[in-house]
């Protein structure tokens, strides 16, 4: 995984010979996901000694989970050093892999002099907060971890690791940057293991992954006017998404528009863990687009250097950016608002028609 960082759309609209600087584009702040079927409610309410039936087995042990995290960091650094996609593919999958590869692509579009030298990193594995669920026989194995890339610092990210049986290995599939250092209160057995619950179609929760995804998309598309502010209580993360919508919608003034919309989502898996209040922490992904367009003929959008890999410095009349994002929310068991606790996005594509003068020249 390349270290999550905001992605900006460094574009400008040019009128004749005068270029107008613009506000940075969508704030890319930002795990892939699979459904977990067993909600384990009855098991969670009784102690292991009182249970008359065997408990589901944990996905793996704590020591094995820490080894998975350490291995992921080591291979990530090796792959990132020379942007080795095949090597990275052995420890990442799903939306996280798509986001990392897009970062490789963006870097390769820059002149060598503009590329930031790569600095190796690692997670503080010893102090990672592990959330390892007990899973029924036949369920796909996965676990979540709260991680910090600085020793002694509080975790700042939530990651999901999933076993890929076809590859016979564990891979990181999602990472969310937390908006607040306070971690969700995950319900744990006395031996430290967690309870997986259904992320979609769970009637015991106020919202499921599908509704949360729709609410996040509404935050970007309308500023939360329809679903967003009804599903989510105000949090730093949800406010930031609404602010992205507001700032992007006005940054061109009367010379252009910026419109968000949902995109066909390739990453529909979701993961959920029971929380101490009977609700759940749900980790899910979404995709959205942002289309910037000039208001009238004679204007053009000049791509920024970060867009060079996709747009090749060619002026456009409109540009559609595609984003892949990982999200995390806590959901109550009763009918009450959920809380978006973090999200991380990366631009994975950009396209748009060249200005007529460029098209004629081509």
């Amino acid at each position: 995984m390349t270290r999550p960082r905001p992605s900006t759309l460094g574009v400008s609209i040019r009128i004749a010979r005068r270029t107008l600087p613009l506000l940075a584009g969508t704030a890319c702040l930002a795990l892939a996901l699979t459904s977990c079927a067993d909600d384990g409610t009855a098991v969670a309410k009784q102690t292991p000694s009182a249970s008359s039936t065997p408990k589901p087995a944990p996905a793996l042990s704590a020591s094995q989970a820490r080894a998975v995290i350490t291995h992921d960091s080591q291979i990530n650094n090796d792959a990132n050093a020379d942007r080795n996609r095949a090597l990275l593919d052995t420890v990442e999958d799903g939306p996280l892999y798509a986001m990392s590869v897009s970062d490789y692509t963006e870097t390769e579009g820059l002149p060598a002099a503009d590329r930031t030298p790569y600095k190796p990193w690692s997670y503080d594995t010893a102090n990672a907060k592990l959330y390892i669920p007990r899973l029924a026989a036949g369920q796909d194995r996965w676990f979540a971890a709260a991680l910090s890339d600085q020793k002694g610092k509080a975790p700042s990210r939530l990651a999901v690791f999933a076993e890929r049986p076809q590859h016979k290995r564990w891979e990181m599939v999602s990472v969310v940057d937390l908006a607040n250092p306070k971690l969700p209160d995950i319900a744990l057995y006395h031996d430290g293991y967690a309870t997986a619950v259904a992320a979609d179609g769970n009637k015991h929760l106020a919202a499921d992954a599908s509704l949360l995804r729709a609410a996040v998309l509404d935050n970007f598309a309308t500023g939360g006017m329809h679903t967003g502010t009804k599903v989510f209580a105000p949090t730093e993360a949800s406010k930031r998404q609404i602010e992205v919508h507001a700032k992007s919608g006005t940054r061109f003034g009367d010379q252009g528009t910026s419109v968000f919309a949902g995109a066909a989502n390739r990453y529909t898996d979701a993961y959920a863990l029971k929380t101490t209040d009977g609700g759940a922490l749900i980790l899910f992904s979404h995709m959205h687009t942002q289309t910037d367009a000039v208001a009238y003929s004679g204007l053009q959008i000049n791509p920024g250097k970060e867009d060079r890999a996709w747009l090749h410095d060619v002026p456009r009349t409109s540009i559609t950016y595609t984003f892949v994002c990982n999200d995390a929310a806590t959901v109550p068991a009763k009918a009450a608002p959920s809380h978006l606790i973090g999200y991380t996005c990366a631009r994975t594509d950009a396209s748009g028609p060249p200005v007529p003068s460029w098209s004629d020249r081509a």
Side-chain angles (χ1 to χ4, degrees):
M1 176 192 69
T2 54
R3 295 180 63 177
R5 59 184 175 78
S7 176
T8 57
L9 308 185
V11 300
S12 60
I13 286 186
R14 192 173 67 192
I15 308 175
R17 296 178 180 272
R18 186 164 64 90
T19 300
L20 303 178
L22 299 173
L23 187 67
T26 303
C28 300
L29 298 173
L31 294 178
L33 321 165
T34 65
S35 294
C36 300
D38 180 11
D39 71 6
T41 301
V43 175
K45 290 183 178 179
Q46 47 188 288
T47 63
S49 60
S51 178
S52 59
T53 57
K55 296 189 303 293
L60 74 177
S61 69
S63 60
Q64 289 172 327
R66 295 186 196 280
V68 168
I69 297 169
T70 298
H71 176 71
D72 175 88
S73 299
Q74 292 170 343
I75 300 302
N76 250 284
N77 281 310
D78 292 342
N80 294 343
D82 57 2
R83 297 180 296 282
N84 187 328
R85 291 162 171 80
L87 181 59
L88 184 70
D89 192 31
T90 66
V91 293
E92 286 190 3
D93 198 14
L96 183 61
Y97 179 72
M99 295 163 74
S100 295
V101 167
S102 73
D103 194 77
Y104 288 0
T105 300
E106 181 179 306
T107 298
E108 291 164 352
L110 298 173
D114 291 341
R115 298 177 186 177
T116 303
Y118 180 71
K119 294 182 179 180
W121 56 276
S122 63
Y123 286 121
D124 184 4
T125 308
N127 294 314
K129 304 294 184 184
L130 302 177
Y131 305 119
I132 302 171
R134 291 184 176 276
L135 300 169
Q139 283 187 289
D140 292 336
R141 296 199 299 165
W142 63 276
F143 71 94
L147 302 170
S148 172
D149 60 359
Q150 298 183 55
K151 286 194 174 184
K153 296 290 187 180
S156 59
R157 295 172 187 150
L158 278 175
V160 171
F161 296 82
E163 186 183 44
R164 297 312 196 202
Q166 68 272 31
H167 300 146
K168 294 185 168 66
R169 62 186 179 230
W170 287 85
E171 299 182 22
M172 185 188 285
V173 294
S174 172
V175 169
V176 171
D177 290 318
L178 296 170
N180 188 297
K182 186 180 185 305
L183 296 174
D185 295 321
I186 304 299
L188 301 174
Y189 290 92
H190 69 80
D191 56 7
Y193 292 112
T195 299
V197 298
D200 269 308
N202 192 330
K203 303 302 182 183
H204 300 291
L205 298 175
D208 65 2
S210 296
L211 182 57
L212 295 173
R213 189 177 290 115
V216 165
L217 290 171
D218 186 57
N219 281 347
F220 283 112
T222 73
M225 289 178 59
H226 303 305
T227 311
T229 53
K230 292 181 176 64
V231 171
F232 292 124
T235 63
E236 183 178 341
S238 60
K239 288 177 182 177
R240 188 179 298 145
Q241 291 178 343
I242 292 171
E243 183 180 14
V244 165
H245 167 83
K247 287 187 175 180
S248 296
T250 59
R251 64 193 181 120
F252 292 136
D254 61 356
Q255 297 163 6
T257 58
S258 187
V259 177
F260 291 89
N265 186 26
R266 298 192 296 271
Y267 309 107
T268 57
D269 292 342
Y271 303 87
L273 294 168
K274 185 177 179 180
T275 50
T276 55
D277 62 359
L281 164 68
I282 300 183
L283 304 158
F284 60 102
S285 299
H286 81 272
M287 293 178 62
H288 69 260
T289 61
Q290 175 182 338
T291 300
D292 297 340
V294 298
Y296 48 86
S297 177
L299 303 179
Q300 66 186 43
I301 301 176
N302 297 324
K305 66 178 183 179
E306 295 86 358
D307 304 320
R308 185 170 296 158
W310 296 282
L311 301 176
H312 313 292
D313 293 330
V314 177
R316 313 278 171 159
T317 55
S318 70
I319 299 174
T320 296
Y321 301 93
T322 300
F323 294 88
V324 172
C325 309
N326 295 318
D327 311 86
T330 55
V331 179
K334 58 185 179 180
S338 300
H339 292 78
L340 187 70
I341 62 173
Y343 72 100
T344 301
C345 295
R347 177 180 50 233
T348 57
D349 194 19
S351 62
V355 296
S357 59
W358 184 275
S359 300
D360 295 342
R361 186 160 58 248

